[in-house]
């Protein structure tokens, strides 16, 4: 009999899966609510949501029922035809965001690629060729395709993959002079309302408003990458809604379908007509299965959303109040939380947390990152923070 253990899985991965990830020492077998179980039956509290994906936790009965029903009805139909779940989801997302039209894709990078195409076509149609540069922020993360890498404002991801797609440049967040100094061939500015992979750095509302004002003045499109901040993560359906701005287009992915692979973008009224038949496509985009999963996810999140801000603030306040020796501070918005740690690498602290039964993430150079399922309840928060406190009091990782 073949018994699956972490050791046997590691050997199979080593033999057959390319080593593109620094994988951590747990092999998950199943999950329920905010708890995960590994192949040995050990229980973990999840404060990661599989990197912001499982926002309704694991095996939520309403989500499971919706996915199972749709799988048994119609999982996929090509985009050469009409299906009901896509129509309902697009209408719902437009209502939640104030946007005017949706395109469905499969991942965050693919969603951003589509947004860049909209921006470039808009600009070329209006101003002619040569005004196609897209500005993004230093420390940003926009994906791993060659174009979204070019957009990503972190050099460490670029090395050895050149040449990247031309037409991107990076300016430091908060730097108004750099914004004003952008060259004449810029057509759009993209930003994450809270920089996620870069370290959980919320952008200042004042700065973002100035970006918006200059975008209006110079007819640059304002693009929000809401792949991590979207779908309730920051306490609003979309992060921009907490900043008092209105983007021309936004991308979403991670949390949208509660665990199924889905991404997409939304555009405002002014960009509705930019893409026309033949301009853009995705074979799997907007499948009935993923759209049904997304509709169920939004239904579940409707109940959780009003509590997200308060839960995030409570978690941060409790961590700060612990007065922990190796915690330098917290930052974030809603249930997107960064905890700056000292006395060891964030990844070493994170390994200790995992061993103690808490699944968390790291971000940037100094932080642990918590992206718990948005449905997380008081009991699981208590339990997670108890593990966190115990590990952080246990002494440095060095
Ligand atoms: C994760 C992430 C992406 C990339 O999404 P993928 O689905 O991995 O392609 C892009 N932008 C942001 C802000 C992200 O957090």
């Amino acid at each position: 009999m073949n018994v699956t253990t972490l050791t046997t899985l590691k050997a199979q991965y080593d033999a057959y899966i390319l080593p593109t990830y620094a994988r951590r020492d747990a092999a998950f077998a199943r999950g329920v609510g905010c708890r995960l179980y590994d192949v040995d039956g050990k229980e973990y509290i999840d404060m990661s949501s599989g990197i912001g994906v499982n926002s309704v936790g694991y095996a939520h009965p309403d989500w499971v029922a919706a996915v199972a029903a749709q799988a048994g009805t119609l999982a996929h139909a090509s985009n050469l035809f009409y299906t009901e779940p896509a129509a309902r989801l697009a209408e719902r997302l437009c209502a939640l965001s104030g946007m005017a039209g949706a395109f469905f894709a499969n991942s965050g990078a693919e969603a951003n690629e589509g947004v860049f195409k909209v921006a470039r076509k808009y600009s070329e149609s209006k101003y002619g060729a040569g005004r196609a540069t897209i500005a993004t922020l230093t420390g940003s993360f926009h994906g791993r395709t060659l174009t979204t890498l070019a957009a990503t404002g972190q050099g460490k991801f670029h090395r050895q993959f050149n040449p990247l797609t031309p037409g991107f440049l990076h300016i430091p967040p908060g730097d108004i002079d750099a914004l004003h100094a952008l060259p004449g061939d810029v057509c759009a500015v993209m930003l994450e309302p809270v920089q996620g992979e870069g370290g959980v750095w919320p952008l200042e509302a004042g700065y973002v408003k100035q970006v918006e004002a200059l975008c209006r003045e110079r007819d640059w499109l304002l693009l929000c990458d809401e792949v991590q901040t979207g779908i309730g993560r920051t306490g609003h359906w979309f992060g921009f809604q907490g900043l008092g701005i209105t983007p021309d287009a936004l991308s979403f992915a991670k949390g949208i379908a509660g665990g199924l692979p889905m991404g997409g973008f939304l555009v405002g009224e002014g960009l509705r007509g930019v893409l026309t038949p033949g301009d853009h496509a995705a074979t799997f985009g907007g499948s009935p299965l993923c759209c049904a999963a997304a509709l169920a996810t939004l239904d579940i999140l409707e109940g959780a959303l009003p509590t997200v801000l308060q839960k995030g603030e409570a978690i941060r306040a409790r961590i700060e109040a612990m007065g922990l020796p190796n915690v330098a501070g917290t930052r974030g918005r809603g249930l997107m939380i960064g905890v700056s740690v000292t006395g060891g690498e964030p990844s070493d602290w994170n390994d200790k947390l995992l061993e103690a039964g808490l699944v968390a993430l790291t971000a940037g150079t100094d932080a642990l990152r918590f992206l718990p399922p948005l449905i997380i309840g008081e009991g699981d928060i208590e339990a997670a923070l108890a593990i966190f406190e115990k590990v952080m009091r246990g002494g440095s990782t060095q």
Side-chain angles (χ1 to χ4, degrees), residues 51 106-110 112 141-145 148 192 194 196-197 225-229 251 253-254 262 369:
I51 319 190
N106 311 285
S107 70
E110 193 190 5
N112 285 335
F141 183 84
H142 298 298
R144 298 292 202 135
T145 61
T148 54
E192 299 158 83
V194 180
E197 303 304 312
D225 179 343
E226 297 260 12
V227 169
Q228 194 159 151
T229 51
S251 56
K254 292 190 163 87
M262 185 176 209
R369 175 174 39 152

Side-chain angles (χ1 to χ4, degrees), residues 77-377:
S78 87
N79 278 306
L80 304 173
F81 300 96
Y82 298 90
T83 53
E84 187 186 330
R88 287 179 50 213
L89 180 60
E91 184 176 4
R92 184 104 169 250
L93 288 172
C94 285
L96 297 178
S97 64
M99 295 284 125
F103 179 89
F104 294 123
N106 311 285
S107 70
E110 193 190 5
N112 285 335
E113 295 253 359
V115 170
F116 298 149
K117 282 176 75 174
V118 172
R120 287 188 170 168
K121 186 172 178 199
Y122 169 84
S123 185
E124 179 158 334
S125 309
K126 197 163 169 186
Y127 298 99
R131 184 183 179 275
T133 298
I134 294 160
T136 68
L137 301 182
T138 313
S140 62
F141 183 84
H142 298 298
R144 298 292 202 135
T145 61
L146 289 172
T147 298
T148 54
L149 273 183
T152 293
Q154 299 186 67
K156 67 175 180 187
F157 294 116
H158 296 173
R159 280 193 288 275
Q160 296 187 294
F161 297 112
N162 291 302
L164 304 178
T165 305
F168 288 88
L169 54 78
H170 315 292
I171 54 172
D175 185 338
I176 301 297
D177 293 339
L179 189 66
H180 279 270
L182 282 174
D185 66 353
V186 163
C187 68
V189 179
M190 175 175 268
L191 47 84
E192 299 158 83
V194 180
Q195 291 192 335
E197 303 304 312
V200 193
W201 295 107
L203 295 185
E204 301 252 336
Y207 170 68
V208 174
K209 283 198 173 128
Q210 294 199 55
V211 175
E212 182 184 43
L214 207 61
C215 282
R216 299 297 165 244
E217 201 182 303
R218 303 203 183 166
D219 200 17
W220 300 333
L221 297 179
L222 178 57
L223 315 174
C224 284
D225 179 343
E226 297 260 12
V227 169
Q228 194 159 151
T229 51
I231 321 297
R233 179 55 59 188
T234 68
H236 302 268
W237 283 113
F238 295 94
F240 79 81
Q241 292 165 325
L243 291 168
I245 57 162
T246 307
D248 297 293
L250 66 91
S251 56
F252 58 87
K254 292 190 163 87
I256 178 68
L260 290 195
M262 185 176 209
F265 61 88
L266 297 162
V267 301
E269 200 55 54
L271 297 181
R272 250 197 85 76
V274 172
L275 295 182
T276 52
D279 274 344
H280 199 48
T283 298
F284 292 114
S287 75
L289 186 66
C290 287
C291 290
L295 285 163
T297 299
L298 293 177
D299 281 344
I300 298 163
L301 291 185
E302 221 142 74
L305 188 70
T307 67
V308 168
L309 271 178
Q310 173 268 319
K311 284 192 287 203
E313 273 162 29
I315 290 171
R316 284 178 57 194
R318 271 141 85 173
I319 290 174
E320 308 244 353
M322 287 172 190
L324 296 170
N326 287 306
V327 170
T330 70
R331 53 190 188 243
R333 228 170 247 149
L335 285 172
M336 189 166 176
I337 299 167
V339 181
S340 178
V341 291
T342 56
E345 288 298 316
S347 59
D348 292 334
W349 284 117
N350 203 22
D351 287 345
K352 284 195 163 194
L353 293 175
L354 186 70
E355 212 182 310
L358 180 63
V359 185
L361 300 158
T362 59
T365 52
D366 71 320
L368 290 166
R369 175 174 39 152
F370 296 137
L371 302 175
L374 303 182
I375 55 148
I376 194 167

